[in-house]
Amino acid sequence: MAMTPARVWDAAAVLEALGGSEVALWLWEPGDDRLRLTGALGVLGLSALGAECSSAEIMALALPEDRHGVDDLLTPRDPGTKVAAQFRARGSAACVWRGEWLEEGVRAAGVVAPAARFAETPYDALTGILDRRGFLARAAERLAVAGTDDVLIVANVNRFRRLNEALGHERGDLVLAALSARLSAAFPPEAAMGRVGDDEFAVMTTADETASMALLRAALEQPLRVAGFDIFPTLSIGAARVRGGRGAPSASELLNRAVEAARTSGGGGVAEPRARTASIGALGMSRLELESDLHGAIERGEIEPFFQPVVRLATGELSGFEALARWRHRRRGLLGPESFLGLMGELGLMPTLGAHLMRAAALQLASWRNTHPAMAGLTVSVNVSTVEIDRAGLIDEVEALVRHCGLPAGALKLEITESDIMHNPDAAAGILHALRAAGAGLALDDFGTGFSSLSYLTRLPFDTLKIDRYFVRTMAANEGSTKIVRSVVDLGRALSLEVVAEGVENAVMAARVMELGCDYGQGFGYAPALSAAEAEVYLNESYADGVAPLKATS
Ligand code: C2E
Ligand code: CA
Ligand code: CA
């Protein structure tokens, strides 16, 4: 037997249910120019309207670009006609209005809810701009209008997949949200803007093609900082022009044309650019431009060491930092070594750069050791390139620097890659012994990639082995990598060397390398390379609680 409806659905219960669920009911009577509302008006940003208002009042509350939607909603239709509109009241989130015309078109009624509540909105939940379907629908509307001149521009974020892998999807999502916010701010509201692929944005506008492409680039190719990471997005852009009306291509065909144009514009879409020249290209700089900038960069103090923490895996305590070169470019923002080291080498600037970075890193280390006397074991390691190892004067320079900074033996470490040693192990042995005598610590970098002559290792005065991040990253999927990590750890044990796993990106990787007997780790899971000021904060924090923070998951 049914319960009495009145007892369940009394007016108060209805209102309470509505208020609690962030929706409101609306009833529109055009004859009286009266819109009635009841429910969670505050949440929806509609409280200014009160329980009753006129069409002019709701029109005034809606953002100008949304007014056509409101108008559409309020226009009388035949009974049974469904209506839907989405618009924002000033200062609040977008709302979706849905309803139906009743009684010969004199009244319409329905619900209004935050747009996010409706799964079927044309908006992308992550970025708030149109999603692919929504964008295509909006584009189709424009294409239907005869005689309009439109341009559809597509921008693909270069190397976004790699960014996602390096930073994790959550941070990748933040980047996309930030980019779409910039996109919306850059174009007038009449332009249609959407996210049409994972890392692909589209704009359809009547403005000039060249100017719009420049505008898009200027807006999106700005450095951004996400959770402590500096990111420098670059775009591959393509455009397609179109005249609306009969004979216009379909929206999806037009979009494809623009996507194709972006793909052939270079820099993105295709396989990962690996070569150094490719990454320079992706930065949008000509080689010449980069070259002339690079010449003065060291003198102008634009190239500086950043510091990536190396931690003791078992306790999370900070053990030291690896100094990694960064270039604060006047226009391009912060650049990583892959965009300038190759060219530096070609220009013969590596020794100058190496000396500069080693000095800066050693002075920084000395200053930290002074301010944190309890961290007596703190080390900083610097990378030494192939050409520098054979450089006359390196040994004297190290000795003078260690003395000048008052560093204990081994606190300043030099990282040398395996392949650099192995092409002339006998010559290398002499230099390494002299460097050690000069007070430097020695780390064998990217270990596992050469593996040619293990017997030499026993004769070389290394104190640290660094396992290349490739093996750490592929351990989960690749039996061979696990074996290599294990044998490097065993080798390190046998020779009493410290073993550092590189590329520890999360807690799972940390646990895995620790299980295999590795003592130290370094990677994005702890921190990326930090500016000296940020590293100082990290130092103070880990000094305070003795534990470096580690992300729990990838
Ligand atoms: P490297 O010596 O193997 O340095 C570690 C690289 O791995 C750094 O890249 C670092 O940012 C990155 N990395 C750190 N943690 C993670 C992680 O969890 N996951 C992944 N995927 N990567 C991680 P960066 O700074 O771009 O340096 C690249 C290479 O450039 C270095 O490789 C080193 O060979 C060279 N380099 C950097 N600074 C200098 C320098 O001052 N002098 C010389 N000669 N070479 C340098
Ligand atoms: Ca290194
Ligand atoms: Ca390395």
Side-chain angles (χ1 to χ4, degrees), residues 322 324 383 415 445-446 466 502:
E322 173 175 0
L324 293 159
N383 292 280
E415 293 196 3
D445 203 1
D446 300 344
K466 299 192 80 168
E502 294 188 325

Side-chain angles (χ1 to χ4, degrees), residues 53 68 253:
C53 69
H68 61 272
E253 192 191 330

Side-chain angles (χ1 to χ4, degrees), residues 271-295:
E272 276 307 304
R274 245 205 88 101
R276 285 178 171 129
T277 46
S279 59
I280 291 167
L283 287 169
M285 290 171 101
S286 77
R287 193 192 142 97
L288 263 179
E289 199 186 344
L290 186 71
E291 209 175 296
S292 71
D293 280 356
L294 204 46
H295 271 294

Side-chain angles (χ1 to χ4, degrees), residues 167-196:
L167 302 190
H169 288 276
E170 280 166 25
R171 284 169 174 150
D173 283 355
L174 288 177
V175 172
L176 292 175
L179 291 179
S180 71
R182 289 174 176 181
L183 181 71
S184 318
F187 285 88
E190 313 83 76
M193 284 165 273
R195 180 173 167 230
V196 294

